[in-house]
Amino acid sequence: DLGPLRLTGATVGVTTVRPGATLDLALGWQAVGPSRPDARAVHTIVAADGRSVDLSSARPGGDSYPPDRWVPGEVMLDRRQVILPPDLIAGVATLRVRVEPAGSPAGPPQQADIGSVEIVSRPAVLTPPSRIGQPTDFVFGRFARLVGYTLSPTHPRPGDELRLTLYWQAEAPSDREYVVFTHVLDAQSKVIAGHDKPPLDGANPTTGWQRGEYITDDYVLRLPTSTQPGEYDLEIGLYEPTTGARAPAEDAGGHPAGDRIVVARIRIAR
């Protein structure tokens, strides 16, 4: 028992995970006594080096049905998503939960292990890319700096594949996972080609970026065979996949630049 609540079971969504990833938790709770209105479950991870980090703090059952409204003996299933720190070291990490405030004011809060995960770390690239076709300097959401891109072919034709490489530098980890969008727009701002995906196809989510590291990411945009010759814009940005909300952009001087950046004008030949 953890104070007025009993942990009846727990499930961790995966067994192997990278730093910065989002982890799904499912915890079963049972009311064994009266609970305080401010009772919260604190989810913690203890890394292989012994470092402990609180991942989230929330009322079991949510604010709409908090534990102080539960009937004694009632069982609830509480599902949570937690974001792991981007700097976790490789090795087996333990997940724990405790209930605050504790049932008694004396002594430390009681806690229980709810599972373990294998942290598979990746080396951060801290050296700038040696070859950047077109340098840029835009910051999205104050965490992602677009330092440049490379685009080929230089004179595409209808039906061609545009191969785009984006070069990012992390200003800081983000508190949510973003998707990068790359779009080719016609004169009416209609998307005629695009490729949206999380960085490195999800292998390096923005929540796992370490300050100062460089991320090189490739995209392929296929032009329709019906594309008319002319000039087209290439726009880039980031958005939250659950809400569609885009990260705000700033130029090199820190001035607002909307929620997308047009980085190139593409001339499509016959």
Side-chain angles (χ1 to χ4, degrees):
D1 293 356
L2 302 180
L5 300 178
R6 174 175 296 150
L7 183 66
T8 61
T11 301
V12 181
V14 295
T15 57
T16 303
V17 69
R18 292 181 181 274
T22 299
L23 197 60
D24 293 314
L25 305 177
L27 283 76
W29 293 102
Q30 183 179 32
V32 294
S35 180
R36 293 176 47 159
D38 57 350
R40 307 179 72 83
V42 181
H43 308 91
T44 301
I45 189 165
V46 182
D49 59 358
R51 182 169 69 104
S52 178
V53 180
D54 288 346
L55 303 176
S56 72
S57 174
R59 286 172 156 186
D63 292 338
S64 62
Y65 194 50
D68 61 301
R69 295 172 56 186
W70 298 358
V71 178
E74 184 173 5
V75 176
M76 294 288 296
L77 178 63
D78 189 47
R79 297 185 183 274
R80 296 288 164 189
Q81 285 191 326
V82 296
I83 297 176
L84 302 181
D87 56 350
L88 288 176
I89 69 167
V92 176
T94 301
L95 293 157
R96 292 175 177 165
V97 66
R98 67 181 186 274
V99 174
E100 294 183 347
S104 169
Q110 294 175 297
Q111 59 185 358
D113 291 354
I114 58 176
S116 62
V117 290
E118 176 77 19
I119 304 297
V120 181
S121 63
R122 55 171 183 79
V125 178
L126 301 177
T127 303
S130 58
R131 294 182 179 180
I132 296 179
Q134 296 293 330
T136 62
D137 191 4
F138 298 101
V139 176
F140 293 87
R142 297 189 176 182
F143 69 88
R145 182 179 298 276
L146 183 66
V147 298
Y149 69 93
T150 300
L151 181 66
S152 65
T154 55
H155 301 291
R157 296 178 180 273
D160 281 353
E161 287 186 345
L162 295 178
R163 298 190 175 275
L164 173 67
T165 300
L166 300 180
Y167 302 96
W168 301 94
Q169 185 179 28
E171 298 287 293
S174 66
D175 60 355
R176 62 204 70 187
E177 295 184 11
Y178 280 88
V179 169
V180 177
F181 65 86
T182 61
H183 297 157
V184 177
L185 307 177
D186 64 14
Q188 287 73 46
S189 296
K190 178 183 176 181
V191 177
I192 67 162
H195 189 179
D196 297 12
K197 68 184 183 74
L200 274 64
D201 299 305
N204 192 359
T206 55
T207 49
W209 289 9
Q210 298 182 45
R211 186 186 305 275
E213 77 165 307
Y214 290 89
I215 300 94
T216 300
D217 204 13
D218 296 322
Y219 298 78
V220 177
L221 299 85
R222 181 182 293 276
L223 298 173
T225 56
S226 59
T227 303
Q228 296 298 309
E231 293 188 337
Y232 294 79
D233 288 335
L234 174 63
E235 69 169 6
I236 293 169
L238 299 99
Y239 65 87
E240 297 179 54
T242 54
T243 65
R246 293 183 174 185
E250 296 179 351
D251 62 19
H255 304 110
D259 59 8
R260 52 118 192 192
I261 296 296
V262 174
V263 297
R265 178 65 56 87
I266 304 170
R267 180 176 292 277
I268 297 178
R270 292 185 182 275

